[in-house]
Amino acid sequence: MGTPLGDFVRAKRDSIQPESLGLPDRGRRRSPGLRRLDLATRAGISVEYLTRIEQGRDRNPSVAVVNALADALSLDPAERTHLRYLAKITGGECTAHPRPAPARREVRPAVLQTLRLLEPGIAMVTNRLGDVLAHTRAFEAVTSASGLLDAEAPNLTRYVFTDSRARSFFADWDDVADERAFDLWLGPTVETSEWLTAELAPVAGPDFTRRLNRHVVPERGVLRLRHPSGCELRLLRETFDLSSDAQQLVVFLPADEATAQAVDQLRARPHGRLRAIS
């Protein structure tokens, strides 16, 4: 049985063409991408050891091996961070940090006060599982009639994968789906596993499972929303980690003047107050 670490290394190896690394084309291959021999040589490890890592038979690679694989695969900084995280949750001792604590659903009073200070801006507090824990009135305005906040305990990941309205609301639904699947790897291990098994995976189907196991590090570009009122919003995102709470404060900024004007019009409509959900 494979591991998240092995799956990621194999997926990256399959996605790399030898010529992109200055390696000669060795002719016909049984599988796409880089050969195990070439990757093992670049990383300074044996083919047998690389095979054990990819197949999940070695769950404790050293820090040196993880870094060597990152160099050999020419990973960018975000991919290197993900590789180290996968090595940790797979069972290795690649960092001195403990496993993530279970996600807390309560939002600290100081964070709620920060949200109030951000009014009339667009902001929310969430966690890596996608639970929307608190938000400003402006966030409610730009998501109104999309169905995102309809549930008693709104969850962005569940909404993206199981609500048909999400595919219309998010103009770049595929990119957003990749983001939501990727972030689940960074969530609290036990809670994420239980939540996926009990709720999301059986309902979302193979499209979700494929994205989860692909380990594509998302670029998180401009977020484009097709508001049910007919306007299209282009939003920049600034994310602030609340590491002690395993939560994030996400602030959305209009990317152009047309979006700023549309947001002003949506904010002028009657909406609720700052909402905290626990």
Side-chain angles (χ1 to χ4, degrees), residues 17-20 22-29 33 35 38:
Q17 295 304 312
E19 53 269 25
S20 69
L23 298 173
D25 186 351
R26 302 180 187 275
R28 188 174 181 180
R29 290 165 289 173
R35 294 174 183 267
D38 291 329

Side-chain angles (χ1 to χ4, degrees), residues 19 56 61 64 94 96-97 143 146 150 185 191 195 209-210 212 219:
E19 53 269 25
C94 296
H97 302 292
T143 60
S146 69
D150 287 358
W185 285 111
E191 184 169 343
W195 183 67
T209 304
R210 176 179 60 82
L212 185 69
E219 294 184 4

Side-chain angles (χ1 to χ4, degrees), residues 158 161-163 196-209:
R158 185 188 297 111
F161 283 104
T162 66
D163 194 317
L196 286 177
T197 302
E199 293 191 41
L200 189 57
V203 179
D207 185 51
F208 165 74
T209 304

Side-chain angles (χ1 to χ4, degrees), residues 90-270:
T90 292
E93 300 295 332
C94 296
T95 71
H97 302 292
R99 292 178 179 272
R104 57 183 297 174
R105 296 188 58 84
E106 300 79 12
V107 180
R108 286 186 289 114
V111 177
L112 291 176
Q113 181 62 26
T114 301
L115 275 182
R116 293 188 181 94
L117 293 175
L118 288 171
E119 294 279 14
I122 310 165
M124 70 171 177
V125 176
T126 183
N127 57 31
R128 293 287 188 175
L129 301 184
D131 294 318
V132 180
L133 304 175
H135 58 76
T136 60
R137 288 175 300 214
F139 181 83
E140 183 177 355
V142 300
T143 60
S144 60
S146 69
L148 173 57
L149 297 177
D150 287 358
E152 183 177 348
N155 183 280
L156 180 57
T157 308
R158 185 188 297 111
Y159 172 75
V160 166
F161 283 104
T162 66
D163 194 317
S164 60
R165 292 172 291 184
R167 293 178 180 264
S168 299
F169 184 54
F170 293 109
D172 302 302
W173 182 88
D174 281 318
D175 294 336
V176 174
D178 282 341
E179 291 176 12
R180 298 315 317 153
F182 179 83
D183 276 2
L184 288 173
W185 285 111
L186 306 180
T189 306
V190 174
E191 184 169 343
T192 299
S193 176
E194 292 177 350
W195 183 67
L196 286 177
T197 302
E199 293 191 41
L200 189 57
V203 179
D207 185 51
F208 165 74
T209 304
R210 176 179 60 82
R211 292 176 189 277
L212 185 69
N213 294 330
R214 200 168 52 174
H215 297 286
V216 173
V217 180
E219 294 184 4
R220 303 183 195 275
V222 174
L223 179 66
R224 296 194 302 139
L225 304 179
R226 296 192 189 102
H227 193 272
S229 66
C231 59
E232 179 172 306
L233 309 177
R234 301 180 70 253
L235 301 170
L236 303 173
R237 291 170 286 180
E238 291 291 337
T239 301
F240 304 91
D241 279 320
L242 308 174
S243 56
S244 61
D245 304 319
Q247 296 172 359
Q248 297 173 306
L249 171 62
V250 185
V251 181
F252 301 85
L253 306 170
D256 50 48
E257 185 58 31
T259 297
Q261 293 178 2
V263 169
D264 285 341
Q265 293 174 0
L266 291 172
R267 276 196 296 234
R269 300 178 180 183

Side-chain angles (χ1 to χ4, degrees), residues 4-23:
L5 174 64
D7 292 342
F8 179 66
V9 172
R10 175 62 185 269
K12 289 301 299 182
R13 182 170 65 80
D14 286 347
S15 71
I16 296 174
Q17 295 304 312
E19 53 269 25
S20 69
L21 299 179
L23 298 173

